[in-house]
């Protein structure tokens, strides 16, 4: 694809690959499984997870589903006293 991004998004929407939204687009095509995604950019995700898992005593956090947020959950030290809310059964 070439040309202005708007034209590219129009072509992708016509092919039903994306659904346009205000300021962007949402992928509508066949995605890859979470197991496949977890193997992509793993080292970077682990680095993000280890830094984001710096939770202080008594803090509450919400961890959404996803492969990067899974690394956050994995890097929270055992015995950390905090409340973790999650809307996805994938982490637990």
């Amino acid at each position: 694809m070439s040309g202005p991004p708007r034209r590219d998004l129009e072509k992708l929407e016509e092919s039903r690959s994306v659904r346009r939204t205000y300021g962007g687009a949402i992928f509508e095509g066949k995605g890859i499984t979470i197991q496949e995604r977890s193997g992509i950019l793993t080292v970077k995700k682990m680095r993000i997870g280890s830094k984001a898992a710096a939770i202080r005593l008594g803090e509450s956090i919400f961890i959404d589903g996803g492969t990067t947020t899974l690394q956050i959950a994995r890097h929270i030290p055992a015995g950390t006293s905090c409340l973790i809310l999650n809307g996805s059964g994938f982490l637990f």
Side-chain angles (χ1 to χ4, degrees), residues 2 7-9 11 13 19 21 25 27 30 32 35 44 48-49 51-53 61 67 75 78 80-81 84 86 90-91:
S2 63
R7 212 172 299 147
D8 290 342
L9 286 173
K11 289 178 184 176
E13 185 175 40
R19 178 173 39 93
T21 62
F27 180 67
K30 181 184 180 303
I32 60 174
Q35 288 80 14
K44 288 184 179 183
I48 292 167
K51 293 196 184 290
I61 63 169
T67 56
H75 282 87
T80 300
S81 180
I84 301 173
N86 174 260
F90 184 72
L91 290 177

Side-chain angles (χ1 to χ4, degrees), residues 19-86:
R19 178 173 39 93
R20 293 184 64 191
T21 62
Y22 180 77
I26 298 172
F27 180 67
E28 292 285 328
K30 181 184 180 303
I32 60 174
T33 67
I34 196 154
Q35 288 80 14
E36 291 169 319
R37 283 193 318 231
S38 67
I40 299 170
L41 301 172
T42 306
V43 173
K44 288 184 179 183
K45 292 175 186 180
M46 289 172 68
R47 226 178 286 140
I48 292 167
S50 68
K51 293 196 184 290
I55 302 166
R56 287 176 276 184
L57 179 67
E59 286 186 324
S60 299
I61 63 169
F62 178 84
I63 299 179
D64 202 0
T67 56
T68 303
T69 53
L70 176 61
Q71 289 300 325
I72 295 170
R74 287 183 173 162
H75 282 87
I76 296 172
T80 300
S81 180
C82 64
L83 174 63
I84 301 173
L85 303 171
N86 174 260

